[in-house]
Amino acid sequence: MNRQLEILQQCTEDGDAWTQEQLTKFDAHELPVESQKCCTPYVQQLKARAEEGNAEAQFLLGWEYANGEVRNYKTAAEWFRKAAEQGNAPAQRELGCMYYDGDGVAQDFEQAVAWWKKAAEAGDCHAMGNLGYYYLDNAPEAPDYASVVKWWKQAAEHGDSTAAYNLHIYYHNGESVKKDENEASRWLLRSAKLGHAQAQYMVYLDWRVNPDNNGLGLYWLLRSAEQGFHAAKEECKELEDEEGNQLINLETPGAIQFLLGVLHENGYCGLAPNAVEAVKWYHKAAQADHPGALFQLGECYEQGLLGVAVDPERANSYYRRAAELGDEEAQAKLG
């Protein structure tokens, strides 16, 4: 996911109308996001809101100065601090990172930990994960493994896929904790569900040798490959259908996303049918110009399938694009 989009989504969780407006503009491709140079109007708007005291805008402005094309870490730290002092958890986390790395401020591990703890208390999973790494690598004396596991568990439970994956490794190897394969498997699956590509591939490998996997292994393989994980993509090249034909052509843009949509729509591979997930994956495939996904969405909007509201104009736009790409069903539909 584009990092700025992720930030905007985080900032709309409290119902702030302005950040919701920014997210709407992003979705409509009206908001430049590539760099500070090419999004000057956006930065100017951020500055105006930030100077009014809006904590979300202060955080986003700090992010621009920390990560935009024209960087100024000192200014970034100043805006992060303003937002952090108002209780903005992402800003508290990022200010902690600046103290940890010594970017824009004097390096100070105590300050880094203090700000990360404030963000963690507010539920920021990445701050929790950072605390785990701190107690592993930078504790005053020897690594504090009890604190490492404590913070990684909290991070994983709040949505940090890497922390969950780390716990899988700890329990699998018996590293600083009692070896426990059940716990290792539980955290691996948690990591996969949270979107960790390597965890998804490893779940596939585990379920591939399990005769009772109900095909779920294929689902996790596709999820991993969809994120570009090399081993998963290579494995996908070997998949065949019942007739011995290649199941998925990775050279076709959107092919993986389209197949994931099919799996969710029909409840294949041990999944429960899920219209919302199916439509989500069809949209992703359509954005890559997958003809089958475009046609499928055309039918959805024409007939109100999969919980989609009927919209003839939108249906025709999908049909037209599918037809342009050579989809015969779409061509027949349009006459």
Side-chain angles (χ1 to χ4, degrees), residues 283 293-305 308-323 330 333-334:
H283 273 293
L294 290 161
F295 179 79
Q296 192 70 24
L297 287 173
E299 287 200 321
C300 287
Y301 284 102
E302 180 187 25
Q303 303 175 38
L305 305 176
V308 171
V310 173
D311 187 336
E313 184 176 347
R314 196 168 183 182
N316 284 332
S317 70
Y318 281 119
Y319 284 142
R320 283 194 298 271
R321 184 56 182 154
K333 175 76 70 171
L334 295 172

Side-chain angles (χ1 to χ4, degrees), residues 23-37:
L23 183 59
T24 301
K25 288 182 178 179
F26 187 103
D27 290 338
H29 306 290
E30 296 174 2
L31 187 63
V33 296
E34 291 302 323
S35 70
Q36 192 172 6
K37 274 186 178 178

Side-chain angles (χ1 to χ4, degrees), residues 177-307:
V177 294
K178 183 179 179 181
K179 185 179 177 70
D180 188 329
E181 289 298 341
N182 288 331
E183 274 293 281
S185 296
R186 183 171 78 86
W187 287 114
L188 182 65
L189 182 58
R190 172 70 174 163
S191 180
K193 288 180 177 179
L194 289 170
H196 194 285
Q198 185 168 349
Q200 292 167 342
Y201 180 67
M202 292 181 68
V203 170
Y204 157 71
L205 293 178
D206 283 350
W207 268 328
R208 186 176 63 177
V209 298
N210 183 348
D212 300 320
N213 65 33
N214 296 321
L216 272 169
L218 172 61
Y219 169 74
W220 288 114
L221 176 66
L222 293 173
R223 287 290 305 275
S224 180
E226 192 269 335
Q227 294 195 72
F229 192 67
H230 178 73
K233 291 176 69 176
E234 290 300 306
E235 195 85 19
C236 282
K237 294 177 182 178
E238 306 301 321
L239 296 176
E240 296 181 347
D241 60 20
E242 295 179 354
E243 286 75 36
N245 300 313
Q246 186 179 26
L247 181 64
I248 183 169
N249 183 358
L250 295 184
E251 294 182 1
T252 302
I256 296 175
Q257 293 88 341
F258 176 67
L259 185 51
L260 282 166
V262 172
L263 298 185
H264 279 292
E265 178 180 359
N266 297 283
Y268 295 148
C269 293
L271 298 169
N274 188 323
V276 173
E277 281 293 301
V279 171
K280 180 188 81 174
W281 287 109
Y282 286 145
H283 273 293
K284 287 187 176 184
Q287 288 170 3
D289 268 347
H290 189 280
L294 290 161
F295 179 79
Q296 192 70 24
L297 287 173
E299 287 200 321
C300 287
Y301 284 102
E302 180 187 25
Q303 303 175 38
L305 305 176
L306 299 178

Side-chain angles (χ1 to χ4, degrees), residues 6 26 66 68-69 88 101 108 129 149 154 168 173 194 235 334:
E6 180 182 355
F26 187 103
E69 189 169 318
N88 182 281
D101 295 325
D108 188 329
V149 172
Q154 289 191 35
H168 148 72
N173 295 334
L194 289 170
E235 195 85 19
L334 295 172

Side-chain angles (χ1 to χ4, degrees), residues 13-30:
E13 290 177 358
D14 65 355
D16 182 81
W18 181 80
T19 48
Q20 181 61 56
E21 180 184 355
Q22 306 314 298
L23 183 59
T24 301
K25 288 182 178 179
F26 187 103
D27 290 338
H29 306 290
E30 296 174 2

